[in-house]
Amino acid sequence: MMISSYCLTPSETASSLWAGWSLPLLGRQYLDILTSWYCSFQDCCRSGDCRISNNLTGLASDLSVRLHGQHLARELVLTAVRGYLEPPQPHKALALSFHGWSGTGKNFVARLLAENLYRDGLRSDCVKVFIATFHFPHPKYVDLYQEQLTSQIRKTQERCPQTLFIFDEAEKLHPGLLEALRSHLEAQAPENHRVESPRTVFLFLSNLGGSVINEAVLNLLMAGWSREDIKLDHLVPQLEAEIAKSTDSGFGQSRLVKENLIDFFVPFLPLEYRHVRLCARDAFLSQELPYTEEALDQIAKMMVYVPKEEQLFSSQGCKSISQRINYFLP
């Protein structure tokens, strides 16, 4: 029997096959053992999306092979997610805040997380993506948005034992919406600690702090540092300070930041010419199209590089690369 949209445990399969029949006691005991063995390999739930994979090996591989120029994000995201999923009972949701220029890989890493934690990736019922300017465009409706957001989070957590919420353009979220999220990010009080609390991961994606990251990376490179030798300590303190003093965004002034409810601020470094070439190569390979080294160079040279004197960093990262390869198709 082929099941494409959801998975059944052995006991659920047996129930569907033997509806109206009762199994002998020995048969039921055997079925319980088989179910326990089956669920040791994948999450089983009574309702909703059972297709939780938590493929950390696949995530490590994807971050290593498919993500370019982001050794800090690769290491920090993998360590944070693994550390959150391994303990049997997390005391709070995991909150990661991705910061950097557009096109540096923030949305790409969010997609890789969804694809490796859930068999259906971003299409999973347990994954919700919110874009600030699209889902919450009008400040005058913030009270309505708060109710809708809180309801969406609650219903998703009731449906799924593990959930992923992605907030793109987080710096543009209304302060009222950020406040509505606070209770979901706080640590659970011992008296409210349930036997089976849902695991929840919050991702905040933002351009906020991107210029500070770029300036720090440029200074280190100009001082003779290798890009791969840059550490989190070189960037995160400056990034956090920039976020906290930002007056153009409510994110830095929110209680999420001030009360340290964000577990990790993840800096995404500006991408260089060599990284853009790799993005172009991947775009060809993803469409199973042939390419030449000359074509990769030509695509990389189409991008604008900054600062004006050094011309080290692609101003758009790898954004729009997939569209640019159309110029080089036979």
mmCIF file with all atom_site columns, all heavy atoms in Angstrom, residues 174-195:
data_model
loop_
_atom_site.group_PDB
_atom_site.id
_atom_site.type_symbol
_atom_site.label_atom_id
_atom_site.label_alt_id
_atom_site.label_comp_id
_atom_site.label_asym_id
_atom_site.label_entity_id
_atom_site.label_seq_id
_atom_site.pdbx_PDB_ins_code
_atom_site.Cartn_x
_atom_site.Cartn_y
_atom_site.Cartn_z
_atom_site.occupancy
_atom_site.B_iso_or_equiv
_atom_site.pdbx_formal_charge
_atom_site.auth_seq_id
_atom_site.auth_comp_id
_atom_site.auth_asym_id
_atom_site.auth_atom_id
_atom_site.pdbx_PDB_model_num
ATOM 1   N N   . HIS A 1 174 ? 6.267  44.979 13.106 1.00 0.00 ? 174 HIS A N   1
ATOM 2   C CA  . HIS A 1 174 ? 5.744  45.974 14.030 1.00 0.00 ? 174 HIS A CA  1
ATOM 3   C C   . HIS A 1 174 ? 6.098  45.577 15.471 1.00 0.00 ? 174 HIS A C   1
ATOM 4   O O   . HIS A 1 174 ? 6.080  44.384 15.813 1.00 0.00 ? 174 HIS A O   1
ATOM 5   C CB  . HIS A 1 174 ? 4.222  46.071 13.867 1.00 0.00 ? 174 HIS A CB  1
ATOM 6   C CG  . HIS A 1 174 ? 3.604  47.216 14.585 1.00 0.00 ? 174 HIS A CG  1
ATOM 7   N ND1 . HIS A 1 174 ? 3.352  47.191 15.945 1.00 0.00 ? 174 HIS A ND1 1
ATOM 8   C CD2 . HIS A 1 174 ? 3.175  48.428 14.140 1.00 0.00 ? 174 HIS A CD2 1
ATOM 9   C CE1 . HIS A 1 174 ? 2.798  48.336 16.307 1.00 0.00 ? 174 HIS A CE1 1
ATOM 10  N NE2 . HIS A 1 174 ? 2.669  49.104 15.238 1.00 0.00 ? 174 HIS A NE2 1
ATOM 11  N N   . PRO A 1 175 ? 6.450  46.552 16.319 1.00 0.00 ? 175 PRO A N   1
ATOM 12  C CA  . PRO A 1 175 ? 6.773  46.231 17.716 1.00 0.00 ? 175 PRO A CA  1
ATOM 13  C C   . PRO A 1 175 ? 5.696  45.407 18.409 1.00 0.00 ? 175 PRO A C   1
ATOM 14  O O   . PRO A 1 175 ? 6.003  44.562 19.262 1.00 0.00 ? 175 PRO A O   1
ATOM 15  C CB  . PRO A 1 175 ? 6.916  47.615 18.369 1.00 0.00 ? 175 PRO A CB  1
ATOM 16  C CG  . PRO A 1 175 ? 7.344  48.513 17.242 1.00 0.00 ? 175 PRO A CG  1
ATOM 17  C CD  . PRO A 1 175 ? 6.635  47.988 16.027 1.00 0.00 ? 175 PRO A CD  1
ATOM 18  N N   . GLY A 1 176 ? 4.431  45.637 18.055 1.00 0.00 ? 176 GLY A N   1
ATOM 19  C CA  . GLY A 1 176 ? 3.350  44.868 18.658 1.00 0.00 ? 176 GLY A CA  1
ATOM 20  C C   . GLY A 1 176 ? 3.426  43.390 18.308 1.00 0.00 ? 176 GLY A C   1
ATOM 21  O O   . GLY A 1 176 ? 3.102  42.522 19.127 1.00 0.00 ? 176 GLY A O   1
ATOM 22  N N   . LEU A 1 177 ? 3.863  43.077 17.092 1.00 0.00 ? 177 LEU A N   1
ATOM 23  C CA  . LEU A 1 177 ? 4.007  41.685 16.679 1.00 0.00 ? 177 LEU A CA  1
ATOM 24  C C   . LEU A 1 177 ? 5.202  41.036 17.387 1.00 0.00 ? 177 LEU A C   1
ATOM 25  O O   . LEU A 1 177 ? 5.135  39.866 17.790 1.00 0.00 ? 177 LEU A O   1
ATOM 26  C CB  . LEU A 1 177 ? 4.178  41.603 15.168 1.00 0.00 ? 177 LEU A CB  1
ATOM 27  C CG  . LEU A 1 177 ? 2.953  41.996 14.346 1.00 0.00 ? 177 LEU A CG  1
ATOM 28  C CD1 . LEU A 1 177 ? 3.293  42.054 12.863 1.00 0.00 ? 177 LEU A CD1 1
ATOM 29  C CD2 . LEU A 1 177 ? 1.808  41.020 14.582 1.00 0.00 ? 177 LEU A CD2 1
ATOM 30  N N   . LEU A 1 178 ? 6.270  41.788 17.536 1.00 0.00 ? 178 LEU A N   1
ATOM 31  C CA  . LEU A 1 178 ? 7.428  41.265 18.261 1.00 0.00 ? 178 LEU A CA  1
ATOM 32  C C   . LEU A 1 178 ? 7.067  40.985 19.713 1.00 0.00 ? 178 LEU A C   1
ATOM 33  O O   . LEU A 1 178 ? 7.497  39.976 20.283 1.00 0.00 ? 178 LEU A O   1
ATOM 34  C CB  . LEU A 1 178 ? 8.575  42.283 18.182 1.00 0.00 ? 178 LEU A CB  1
ATOM 35  C CG  . LEU A 1 178 ? 9.172  42.494 16.781 1.00 0.00 ? 178 LEU A CG  1
ATOM 36  C CD1 . LEU A 1 178 ? 10.087 43.709 16.765 1.00 0.00 ? 178 LEU A CD1 1
ATOM 37  C CD2 . LEU A 1 178 ? 9.930  41.251 16.330 1.00 0.00 ? 178 LEU A CD2 1
ATOM 38  N N   . GLU A 1 179 ? 6.252  41.845 20.291 1.00 0.00 ? 179 GLU A N   1
ATOM 39  C CA  . GLU A 1 179 ? 5.811  41.637 21.670 1.00 0.00 ? 179 GLU A CA  1
ATOM 40  C C   . GLU A 1 179 ? 4.934  40.387 21.764 1.00 0.00 ? 179 GLU A C   1
ATOM 41  O O   . GLU A 1 179 ? 5.001  39.634 22.746 1.00 0.00 ? 179 GLU A O   1
ATOM 42  C CB  . GLU A 1 179 ? 5.058  42.863 22.168 1.00 0.00 ? 179 GLU A CB  1
ATOM 43  C CG  . GLU A 1 179 ? 4.521  42.750 23.587 1.00 0.00 ? 179 GLU A CG  1
ATOM 44  C CD  . GLU A 1 179 ? 5.613  42.578 24.633 1.00 0.00 ? 179 GLU A CD  1
ATOM 45  O OE1 . GLU A 1 179 ? 6.763  43.005 24.375 1.00 0.00 ? 179 GLU A OE1 1
ATOM 46  O OE2 . GLU A 1 179 ? 5.330  42.009 25.707 1.00 0.00 ? 179 GLU A OE2 1
ATOM 47  N N   . ALA A 1 180 ? 4.109  40.158 20.735 1.00 0.00 ? 180 ALA A N   1
ATOM 48  C CA  . ALA A 1 180 ? 3.240  38.977 20.738 1.00 0.00 ? 180 ALA A CA  1
ATOM 49  C C   . ALA A 1 180 ? 4.049  37.686 20.688 1.00 0.00 ? 180 ALA A C   1
ATOM 50  O O   . ALA A 1 180 ? 3.590  36.637 21.140 1.00 0.00 ? 180 ALA A O   1
ATOM 51  C CB  . ALA A 1 180 ? 2.280  39.043 19.545 1.00 0.00 ? 180 ALA A CB  1
ATOM 52  N N   . LEU A 1 181 ? 5.256  37.762 20.143 1.00 0.00 ? 181 LEU A N   1
ATOM 53  C CA  . LEU A 1 181 ? 6.109  36.569 20.044 1.00 0.00 ? 181 LEU A CA  1
ATOM 54  C C   . LEU A 1 181 ? 6.853  36.266 21.341 1.00 0.00 ? 181 LEU A C   1
ATOM 55  O O   . LEU A 1 181 ? 7.343  35.155 21.533 1.00 0.00 ? 181 LEU A O   1
ATOM 56  C CB  . LEU A 1 181 ? 7.128  36.746 18.914 1.00 0.00 ? 181 LEU A CB  1
ATOM 57  C CG  . LEU A 1 181 ? 6.582  36.788 17.489 1.00 0.00 ? 181 LEU A CG  1
ATOM 58  C CD1 . LEU A 1 181 ? 7.701  37.144 16.513 1.00 0.00 ? 181 LEU A CD1 1
ATOM 59  C CD2 . LEU A 1 181 ? 5.976  35.443 17.119 1.00 0.00 ? 181 LEU A CD2 1
ATOM 60  N N   . ARG A 1 182 ? 6.941  37.243 22.216 1.00 0.00 ? 182 ARG A N   1
ATOM 61  C CA  . ARG A 1 182 ? 7.796  37.114 23.398 1.00 0.00 ? 182 ARG A CA  1
ATOM 62  C C   . ARG A 1 182 ? 7.455  35.883 24.234 1.00 0.00 ? 182 ARG A C   1
ATOM 63  O O   . ARG A 1 182 ? 8.341  35.123 24.640 1.00 0.00 ? 182 ARG A O   1
ATOM 64  C CB  . ARG A 1 182 ? 7.696  38.374 24.259 1.00 0.00 ? 182 ARG A CB  1
ATOM 65  C CG  . ARG A 1 182 ? 8.605  38.357 25.484 1.00 0.00 ? 182 ARG A CG  1
ATOM 66  C CD  . ARG A 1 182 ? 8.615  39.710 26.167 1.00 0.00 ? 182 ARG A CD  1
ATOM 67  N NE  . ARG A 1 182 ? 7.290  40.059 26.661 1.00 0.00 ? 182 ARG A NE  1
ATOM 68  C CZ  . ARG A 1 182 ? 6.840  39.749 27.882 1.00 0.00 ? 182 ARG A CZ  1
ATOM 69  N NH1 . ARG A 1 182 ? 7.608  39.056 28.716 1.00 0.00 ? 182 ARG A NH1 1
ATOM 70  N NH2 . ARG A 1 182 ? 5.638  40.107 28.262 1.00 0.00 ? 182 ARG A NH2 1
ATOM 71  N N   . SER A 1 183 ? 6.172  35.670 24.497 1.00 0.00 ? 183 SER A N   1
ATOM 72  C CA  . SER A 1 183 ? 5.784  34.551 25.359 1.00 0.00 ? 183 SER A CA  1
ATOM 73  C C   . SER A 1 183 ? 6.154  33.201 24.744 1.00 0.00 ? 183 SER A C   1
ATOM 74  O O   . SER A 1 183 ? 6.366  32.223 25.465 1.00 0.00 ? 183 SER A O   1
ATOM 75  C CB  . SER A 1 183 ? 4.281  34.591 25.643 1.00 0.00 ? 183 SER A CB  1
ATOM 76  O OG  . SER A 1 183 ? 3.535  34.449 24.442 1.00 0.00 ? 183 SER A OG  1
ATOM 77  N N   . HIS A 1 184 ? 6.254  33.153 23.426 1.00 0.00 ? 184 HIS A N   1
ATOM 78  C CA  . HIS A 1 184 ? 6.596  31.899 22.757 1.00 0.00 ? 184 HIS A CA  1
ATOM 79  C C   . HIS A 1 184 ? 8.098  31.607 22.809 1.00 0.00 ? 184 HIS A C   1
ATOM 80  O O   . HIS A 1 184 ? 8.517  30.473 22.561 1.00 0.00 ? 184 HIS A O   1
ATOM 81  C CB  . HIS A 1 184 ? 6.131  31.943 21.303 1.00 0.00 ? 184 HIS A CB  1
ATOM 82  C CG  . HIS A 1 184 ? 4.653  32.097 21.150 1.00 0.00 ? 184 HIS A CG  1
ATOM 83  N ND1 . HIS A 1 184 ? 3.767  31.050 21.356 1.00 0.00 ? 184 HIS A ND1 1
ATOM 84  C CD2 . HIS A 1 184 ? 3.891  33.174 20.829 1.00 0.00 ? 184 HIS A CD2 1
ATOM 85  C CE1 . HIS A 1 184 ? 2.530  31.478 21.167 1.00 0.00 ? 184 HIS A CE1 1
ATOM 86  N NE2 . HIS A 1 184 ? 2.574  32.753 20.841 1.00 0.00 ? 184 HIS A NE2 1
ATOM 87  N N   . LEU A 1 185 ? 8.891  32.634 23.096 1.00 0.00 ? 185 LEU A N   1
ATOM 88  C CA  . LEU A 1 185 ? 10.342 32.474 23.148 1.00 0.00 ? 185 LEU A CA  1
ATOM 89  C C   . LEU A 1 185 ? 10.873 32.361 24.567 1.00 0.00 ? 185 LEU A C   1
ATOM 90  O O   . LEU A 1 185 ? 12.041 32.023 24.768 1.00 0.00 ? 185 LEU A O   1
ATOM 91  C CB  . LEU A 1 185 ? 11.035 33.642 22.443 1.00 0.00 ? 185 LEU A CB  1
ATOM 92  C CG  . LEU A 1 185 ? 11.279 33.488 20.943 1.00 0.00 ? 185 LEU A CG  1
ATOM 93  C CD1 . LEU A 1 185 ? 9.957  33.466 20.181 1.00 0.00 ? 185 LEU A CD1 1
ATOM 94  C CD2 . LEU A 1 185 ? 12.153 34.612 20.405 1.00 0.00 ? 185 LEU A CD2 1
ATOM 95  N N   . GLU A 1 186 ? 10.035 32.656 25.542 1.00 0.00 ? 186 GLU A N   1
ATOM 96  C CA  . GLU A 1 186 ? 10.490 32.608 26.926 1.00 0.00 ? 186 GLU A CA  1
ATOM 97  C C   . GLU A 1 186 ? 10.675 31.165 27.393 1.00 0.00 ? 186 GLU A C   1
ATOM 98  O O   . GLU A 1 186 ? 10.032 30.243 26.894 1.00 0.00 ? 186 GLU A O   1
ATOM 99  C CB  . GLU A 1 186 ? 9.469  33.302 27.833 1.00 0.00 ? 186 GLU A CB  1
ATOM 100 C CG  . GLU A 1 186 ? 9.432  34.814 27.659 1.00 0.00 ? 186 GLU A CG  1
ATOM 101 C CD  . GLU A 1 186 ? 8.390  35.457 28.527 1.00 0.00 ? 186 GLU A CD  1
ATOM 102 O OE1 . GLU A 1 186 ? 7.308  34.844 28.718 1.00 0.00 ? 186 GLU A OE1 1
ATOM 103 O OE2 . GLU A 1 186 ? 8.631  36.560 29.031 1.00 0.00 ? 186 GLU A OE2 1
ATOM 104 N N   . ALA A 1 187 ? 11.531 30.997 28.382 1.00 0.00 ? 187 ALA A N   1
ATOM 105 C CA  . ALA A 1 187 ? 11.734 29.675 28.975 1.00 0.00 ? 187 ALA A CA  1
ATOM 106 C C   . ALA A 1 187 ? 10.468 29.253 29.701 1.00 0.00 ? 187 ALA A C   1
ATOM 107 O O   . ALA A 1 187 ? 9.745  30.082 30.264 1.00 0.00 ? 187 ALA A O   1
ATOM 108 C CB  . ALA A 1 187 ? 12.914 29.707 29.941 1.00 0.00 ? 187 ALA A CB  1
ATOM 109 N N   . GLN A 1 188 ? 10.206 27.959 29.679 1.00 0.00 ? 188 GLN A N   1
ATOM 110 C CA  . GLN A 1 188 ? 9.020  27.438 30.361 1.00 0.00 ? 188 GLN A CA  1
ATOM 111 C C   . GLN A 1 188 ? 9.224  27.429 31.864 1.00 0.00 ? 188 GLN A C   1
ATOM 112 O O   . GLN A 1 188 ? 10.275 27.012 32.354 1.00 0.00 ? 188 GLN A O   1
ATOM 113 C CB  . GLN A 1 188 ? 8.721  26.015 29.897 1.00 0.00 ? 188 GLN A CB  1
ATOM 114 C CG  . GLN A 1 188 ? 8.089  25.918 28.527 1.00 0.00 ? 188 GLN A CG  1
ATOM 115 C CD  . GLN A 1 188 ? 7.610  24.502 28.260 1.00 0.00 ? 188 GLN A CD  1
ATOM 116 O OE1 . GLN A 1 188 ? 8.057  23.553 28.883 1.00 0.00 ? 188 GLN A OE1 1
ATOM 117 N NE2 . GLN A 1 188 ? 6.703  24.364 27.324 1.00 0.00 ? 188 GLN A NE2 1
ATOM 118 N N   . ALA A 1 189 ? 8.231  27.896 32.586 1.00 0.00 ? 189 ALA A N   1
ATOM 119 C CA  . ALA A 1 189 ? 8.264  27.800 34.046 1.00 0.00 ? 189 ALA A CA  1
ATOM 120 C C   . ALA A 1 189 ? 8.133  26.336 34.454 1.00 0.00 ? 189 ALA A C   1
ATOM 121 O O   . ALA A 1 189 ? 7.413  25.574 33.809 1.00 0.00 ? 189 ALA A O   1
ATOM 122 C CB  . ALA A 1 189 ? 7.125  28.612 34.649 1.00 0.00 ? 189 ALA A CB  1
ATOM 123 N N   . PRO A 1 190 ? 8.827  25.897 35.506 1.00 0.00 ? 190 PRO A N   1
ATOM 124 C CA  . PRO A 1 190 ? 8.782  24.485 35.910 1.00 0.00 ? 190 PRO A CA  1
ATOM 125 C C   . PRO A 1 190 ? 7.366  23.958 36.108 1.00 0.00 ? 190 PRO A C   1
ATOM 126 O O   . PRO A 1 190 ? 7.063  22.838 35.737 1.00 0.00 ? 190 PRO A O   1
ATOM 127 C CB  . PRO A 1 190 ? 9.566  24.479 37.233 1.00 0.00 ? 190 PRO A CB  1
ATOM 128 C CG  . PRO A 1 190 ? 10.481 25.658 37.127 1.00 0.00 ? 190 PRO A CG  1
ATOM 129 C CD  . PRO A 1 190 ? 9.722  26.692 36.354 1.00 0.00 ? 190 PRO A CD  1
ATOM 130 N N   . GLU A 1 191 ? 6.469  24.794 36.653 1.00 0.00 ? 191 GLU A N   1
ATOM 131 C CA  . GLU A 1 191 ? 5.122  24.302 36.917 1.00 0.00 ? 191 GLU A CA  1
ATOM 132 C C   . GLU A 1 191 ? 4.338  24.084 35.626 1.00 0.00 ? 191 GLU A C   1
ATOM 133 O O   . GLU A 1 191 ? 3.328  23.378 35.615 1.00 0.00 ? 191 GLU A O   1
ATOM 134 C CB  . GLU A 1 191 ? 4.365  25.252 37.844 1.00 0.00 ? 191 GLU A CB  1
ATOM 135 C CG  . GLU A 1 191 ? 4.197  26.669 37.291 1.00 0.00 ? 191 GLU A CG  1
ATOM 136 C CD  . GLU A 1 191 ? 5.323  27.592 37.709 1.00 0.00 ? 191 GLU A CD  1
ATOM 137 O OE1 . GLU A 1 191 ? 6.406  27.048 38.057 1.00 0.00 ? 191 GLU A OE1 1
ATOM 138 O OE2 . GLU A 1 191 ? 5.134  28.815 37.706 1.00 0.00 ? 191 GLU A OE2 1
ATOM 139 N N   . ASN A 1 192 ? 4.787  24.740 34.538 1.00 0.00 ? 192 ASN A N   1
ATOM 140 C CA  . ASN A 1 192 ? 4.094  24.578 33.269 1.00 0.00 ? 192 ASN A CA  1
ATOM 141 C C   . ASN A 1 192 ? 4.809  23.599 32.345 1.00 0.00 ? 192 ASN A C   1
ATOM 142 O O   . ASN A 1 192 ? 4.474  23.472 31.176 1.00 0.00 ? 192 ASN A O   1
ATOM 143 C CB  . ASN A 1 192 ? 3.975  25.937 32.559 1.00 0.00 ? 192 ASN A CB  1
ATOM 144 C CG  . ASN A 1 192 ? 3.092  26.902 33.330 1.00 0.00 ? 192 ASN A CG  1
ATOM 145 O OD1 . ASN A 1 192 ? 2.164  26.477 33.997 1.00 0.00 ? 192 ASN A OD1 1
ATOM 146 N ND2 . ASN A 1 192 ? 3.402  28.183 33.250 1.00 0.00 ? 192 ASN A ND2 1
ATOM 147 N N   . HIS A 1 193 ? 5.834  22.938 32.872 1.00 0.00 ? 193 HIS A N   1
ATOM 148 C CA  . HIS A 1 193 ? 6.655  22.055 32.048 1.00 0.00 ? 193 HIS A CA  1
ATOM 149 C C   . HIS A 1 193 ? 5.904  20.747 31.807 1.00 0.00 ? 193 HIS A C   1
ATOM 150 O O   . HIS A 1 193 ? 5.802  19.895 32.688 1.00 0.00 ? 193 HIS A O   1
ATOM 151 C CB  . HIS A 1 193 ? 7.973  21.775 32.753 1.00 0.00 ? 193 HIS A CB  1
ATOM 152 C CG  . HIS A 1 193 ? 9.074  21.425 31.807 1.00 0.00 ? 193 HIS A CG  1
ATOM 153 N ND1 . HIS A 1 193 ? 9.521  22.289 30.839 1.00 0.00 ? 193 HIS A ND1 1
ATOM 154 C CD2 . HIS A 1 193 ? 9.816  20.295 31.688 1.00 0.00 ? 193 HIS A CD2 1
ATOM 155 C CE1 . HIS A 1 193 ? 10.511 21.712 30.178 1.00 0.00 ? 193 HIS A CE1 1
ATOM 156 N NE2 . HIS A 1 193 ? 10.695 20.503 30.663 1.00 0.00 ? 193 HIS A NE2 1
ATOM 157 N N   . ARG A 1 194 ? 5.367  20.606 30.608 1.00 0.00 ? 194 ARG A N   1
ATOM 158 C CA  . ARG A 1 194 ? 4.564  19.433 30.299 1.00 0.00 ? 194 ARG A CA  1
ATOM 159 C C   . ARG A 1 194 ? 5.447  18.234 29.977 1.00 0.00 ? 194 ARG A C   1
ATOM 160 O O   . ARG A 1 194 ? 6.622  18.362 29.667 1.00 0.00 ? 194 ARG A O   1
ATOM 161 C CB  . ARG A 1 194 ? 3.650  19.725 29.109 1.00 0.00 ? 194 ARG A CB  1
ATOM 162 C CG  . ARG A 1 194 ? 2.604  20.787 29.404 1.00 0.00 ? 194 ARG A CG  1
ATOM 163 C CD  . ARG A 1 194 ? 1.816  21.114 28.161 1.00 0.00 ? 194 ARG A CD  1
ATOM 164 N NE  . ARG A 1 194 ? 2.660  21.737 27.152 1.00 0.00 ? 194 ARG A NE  1
ATOM 165 C CZ  . ARG A 1 194 ? 2.242  22.050 25.943 1.00 0.00 ? 194 ARG A CZ  1
ATOM 166 N NH1 . ARG A 1 194 ? 1.011  21.776 25.571 1.00 0.00 ? 194 ARG A NH1 1
ATOM 167 N NH2 . ARG A 1 194 ? 3.063  22.633 25.085 1.00 0.00 ? 194 ARG A NH2 1
ATOM 168 N N   . VAL A 1 195 ? 4.841  17.066 30.022 1.00 0.00 ? 195 VAL A N   1
ATOM 169 C CA  . VAL A 1 195 ? 5.584  15.845 29.729 1.00 0.00 ? 195 VAL A CA  1
ATOM 170 C C   . VAL A 1 195 ? 6.089  15.861 28.295 1.00 0.00 ? 195 VAL A C   1
ATOM 171 O O   . VAL A 1 195 ? 7.218  15.490 28.016 1.00 0.00 ? 195 VAL A O   1
ATOM 172 C CB  . VAL A 1 195 ? 4.687  14.606 29.974 1.00 0.00 ? 195 VAL A CB  1
ATOM 173 C CG1 . VAL A 1 195 ? 5.421  13.334 29.557 1.00 0.00 ? 195 VAL A CG1 1
ATOM 174 C CG2 . VAL A 1 195 ? 4.272  14.539 31.438 1.00 0.00 ? 195 VAL A CG2 1
#
